């Protein structure tokens, strides 16, 4: 596995009793990108993140994190990772500042006060630093957990539902910050249920179910593979002129609400359709295929996997499964 990968899981299996939380699970996250694990409850997302942090040993398979093995090089991996777990453990009796100070000391941050100031500002928690965390709202706790995870300038951020409990505005701010961090070369692996809020930030999406990868790829690749419906947004100087589209060949639906939303039996029809409009003297100002939201895409993949489309089988990768090590939950 090359070191351009920030995270590499190869054929990882991890069971709890009879439950295979991860089953022959393979994941590669290139450095400097944002990968998002999507899936229903119990799909194995949190287990995957815990394997990466070294909190859970695997039964079988290979794990590399920043070129290191999180079990044998645990200290180095922890120093270079920032983790926001699903339920961040914060010290309620301490102030926000002292929570961050404790973490800064653990990570041996050279200039703790300036690092605390910068992290608190990044996540808009500066004014609450003097208050005890027991009195924080859910959103403030989430933001403090994010500040704590980024305090030591980690190379890899592992985030389990980082926007849970945040209002839409704060969620967007957090996601924008996550995007900003990858511009500086950081890598992010995050789990989420909040598909709409995660829109537009994932470079790579992995849809999981039953501990396996159902499908993975960039949002664009998944759109090409699973978004069969062809819908095009069309606008014109005189939008009423567009209504003639409704009776043209190959049109499966037509709706006009400001712009026209046109369903086609194939995107190949677009050129002919625009040609016909232009011949009729319609001054077309916009023609744009409508891309699915991450949420629509997710449900399209899930529908296909439930038998609507036999082409979706859990993804497997070639190569031998290397038994590696076993161990119990720490
Ligand atoms: P959610 O979205 O609900 O957080 P998830 O995709 O993160 O779910 P995991 O928490 O990884 O899923 O759980 C995967 C499976 O493994 C589930 O069936 C869960 O019950 C089981 N599991 C996970 N951790 C443990 C544990 N410590 N002990 C026993 N079973 C576990």
């Amino acid at each position: 596995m090359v070191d351009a990968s920030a995270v590499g899981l190869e054929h990882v299996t991890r069971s709890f009793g009879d439950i295979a939380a991860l089953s022959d699970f393979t994941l590669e996250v290139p450095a400097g990108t944002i990968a998002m694990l999507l899936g229903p409850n119990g799909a194995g997302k949190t287990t995957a993140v815990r394997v990466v942090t070294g909190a859970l040993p695997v039964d079988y398979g290979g794990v590399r994190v920043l070129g290191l093995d999180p079990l044998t090089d645990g200290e180095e991996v922890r120093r270079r990772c920032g983790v926001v777990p699903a339920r961040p453990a914060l010290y309620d009796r301490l102030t926000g500042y002292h929570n961050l100070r404790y973490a800064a000391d653990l990570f041996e941050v050279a200039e703790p006060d300036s690092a605390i100031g910068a992290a608190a500002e990044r996540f808009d928690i500066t004014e609450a630093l003097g208050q005890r965390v027991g009195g924080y709202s859910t959103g403030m706790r989430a933001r403090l957990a994010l500040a704590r995870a980024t305090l030591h300038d980690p190379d890899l951020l592992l985030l389990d539902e980082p926007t849970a409990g945040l209002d839409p505005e704060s969620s967007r701010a957090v996601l924008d910050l996550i995007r900003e961090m990858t511009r500086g070369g950081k890598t992010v692996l995050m789990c989420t249920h909040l598909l709409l809020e995660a829109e537009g930030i994932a470079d790579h999406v992995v849809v999981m179910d039953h501990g396996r990868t159902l499908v993975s790829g960039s949002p664009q690749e998944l759109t090409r593979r699973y978004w069969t419906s062809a819908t095009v947004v069309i606008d014109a100087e005189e939008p009423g002129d567009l209504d003639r589209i409704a009776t043209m060949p190959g049109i499966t639906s037509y709706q006009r609400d400001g712009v026209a939303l046109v369903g086609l039996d194939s995107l190949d029809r677009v050129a002919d359709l625009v040609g016909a409009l232009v011949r009729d003297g319609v001054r077309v100002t916009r023609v744009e295929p409508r891309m699915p939201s991450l949420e629509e895409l997710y449900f399209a993949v899930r529908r296909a996997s439930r038998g609507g489309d036999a082409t979706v089988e859990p993804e497997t990768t070639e190569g031998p499964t290397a038994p590696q090590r076993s161990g119990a939950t720490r």
Side-chain angles (χ1 to χ4, degrees), residues 230-234 242 245 251-255 260-264 273:
T231 306
V232 183
V233 179
I234 304 183
L242 295 171
I245 293 173
I251 303 302
T252 55
S253 63
Y254 177 83
Q255 219 182 306
L261 203 60
V262 183
L264 297 152
L273 186 149

Side-chain angles (χ1 to χ4, degrees), residues 2 7 26 36 38 41 55 108 118 135 145 154-155 183 206 218 240-241 248-249 259 263 287 298 302 307 310:
V2 287
V7 174
T26 291
M36 206 169 282
L38 305 178
N41 291 126
E108 297 175 0
D155 295 321
R183 283 197 202 104
V206 177
S218 68
D241 290 348
M248 287 183 179
V259 296
V287 180
Y298 171 78
R302 300 260 306 145

Side-chain angles (χ1 to χ4, degrees), residues 14-17 19-22 38-50 56 86-87 160-161 191-193 208 211 329:
R14 169 68 210 215
S15 298
F16 296 99
I19 297 168
L22 292 177
L38 305 178
N41 291 126
K45 306 179 297 293
T46 297
T47 304
V49 169
R50 295 187 68 210
L56 271 184
R87 283 175 294 276
D160 199 343
E161 307 266 358
C191 314
T192 186
H193 278 125
M208 297 182 68
T329 310

Side-chain angles (χ1 to χ4, degrees), residues 230 232 234 242-254 262-277 279-280:
V232 183
I234 304 183
L242 295 171
D243 291 350
R244 69 193 71 213
I245 293 173
T247 55
M248 287 183 179
I251 303 302
T252 55
S253 63
Y254 177 83
V262 183
L264 297 152
D265 58 3
S266 161
L267 273 181
D268 296 343
R269 297 254 187 203
V270 174
D272 287 346
L273 186 149
V274 173
L277 289 172
R279 272 195 303 281
D280 285 355

Side-chain angles (χ1 to χ4, degrees), residues 208-246:
M208 297 182 68
D209 203 7
H210 296 106
R212 291 171 174 268
T213 301
L214 217 46
V215 295
S216 66
S218 68
Q220 294 77 9
E221 279 162 3
L222 297 184
T223 301
R224 270 199 303 278
R225 274 156 66 193
Y226 297 101
W227 195 248
T228 47
S229 95
T231 306
V232 183
V233 179
I234 304 183
D235 202 2
E237 281 183 7
E238 290 295 330
D241 290 348
L242 295 171
D243 291 350
R244 69 193 71 213
I245 293 173

